[in-house]
Amino acid sequence: PEILQIRRFADHPDYIAALAASVRQHWMREGPPGNPDSYCLVMSFHSVPCRTIARGDPYHDECRLTARLLAAELDLPADRYRIAFQSYPGYGKWLQPETAATLTELGNAGTQRVDIICPGFVSDCLETLEEIAIEGKKTFLQAGGGEFHYIPCLNERDDWIHALAGMVIAHTAHDRQPS
């Protein structure tokens, strides 16, 4: 058996488009962000130990790339979105800033509305649903924040499934070319 991997898709146009469509649909359901001076889209990614980044892992750069491209697709200025990192299960220094600390800071600042999305997760799991949607909301509200909205992961969205299928087809077709 042969195992093929798609090692990265942080900047794949169809992935970014699916994320942006998800946020826009959320805005249509929940209403637009409102006062731009008191709104923030938090993009929370799973953290990793800094030592892996120091050894050449491109993860941190890919998270920032995804966030920048998503913000651009949504026409969000740099002061209307934040990148944060969740889950610190081990020892040593991990990527910062922590999602909980970011939500506390935004709450303390009196931010009227936070929407949060986890672009590094293509499907919801206990981590996104418990740690972010439930605990994150509690953290933000207890710090004095206003509205908190969790935007679900891409899960089985048609645009994401088509994007993923396209990546797989392109990747396998490339690897199957005769030498």
Side-chain angles (χ1 to χ4, degrees):
E2 183 177 13
I3 297 174
L4 301 174
Q5 295 178 338
I6 298 174
R7 289 194 166 84
R8 61 180 309 275
F9 56 88
D11 60 348
H12 193 284
D14 294 339
Y15 167 62
I16 300 301
L19 287 170
S22 175
V23 173
R24 285 188 191 104
Q25 285 178 350
H26 166 76
W27 287 346
M28 287 175 54
R29 267 190 323 274
E30 299 296 331
N35 180 357
D37 293 331
S38 192
Y39 171 77
C40 188
L41 176 67
V42 176
M43 299 179 217
S44 183
F45 296 86
H46 194 288
S47 191
V48 296
C50 290
R51 70 179 178 275
T52 64
I53 304 303
R55 292 179 181 156
D57 188 327
Y59 178 74
H60 189 236
D61 290 336
E62 290 177 354
C63 292
R64 291 185 308 190
L65 177 61
T66 296
R68 184 178 51 77
L69 292 172
L70 177 55
E73 185 72 20
L74 295 170
D75 294 323
L76 281 177
D79 63 341
R80 295 297 105 209
Y81 73 94
R82 299 272 193 99
I83 300 168
F85 297 91
Q86 68 209 48
S87 300
Y88 295 81
Y91 298 99
K93 186 173 180 184
W94 287 60
L95 291 178
Q96 301 287 321
E98 285 187 65
T99 300
T102 299
L103 292 171
T104 298
E105 178 187 330
L106 290 168
N108 287 337
T111 304
Q112 293 173 8
R113 178 170 162 184
V114 161
D115 292 336
I116 189 164
I117 189 169
C118 299
F121 292 82
V122 296
S123 62
D124 281 306
C125 60
L126 284 176
E127 187 171 338
T128 61
L129 297 173
E130 171 70 24
E131 188 173 342
I132 301 302
I134 296 172
E135 293 299 321
K137 179 178 185 175
K138 181 178 170 186
T139 299
F140 177 68
L141 296 177
Q142 285 180 341
E147 292 180 52
F148 178 97
H149 299 276
Y150 174 71
I151 302 170
C153 292
L154 295 175
N155 296 312
E156 74 282 358
R157 289 178 54 92
D158 285 345
D159 50 2
W160 166 238
I161 298 302
H162 289 308
L164 185 58
M167 284 185 246
V168 169
I169 290 166
H171 187 73
T172 56
H174 174 65
D175 283 352
R176 301 282 183 209
Q177 297 297 322
S179 329

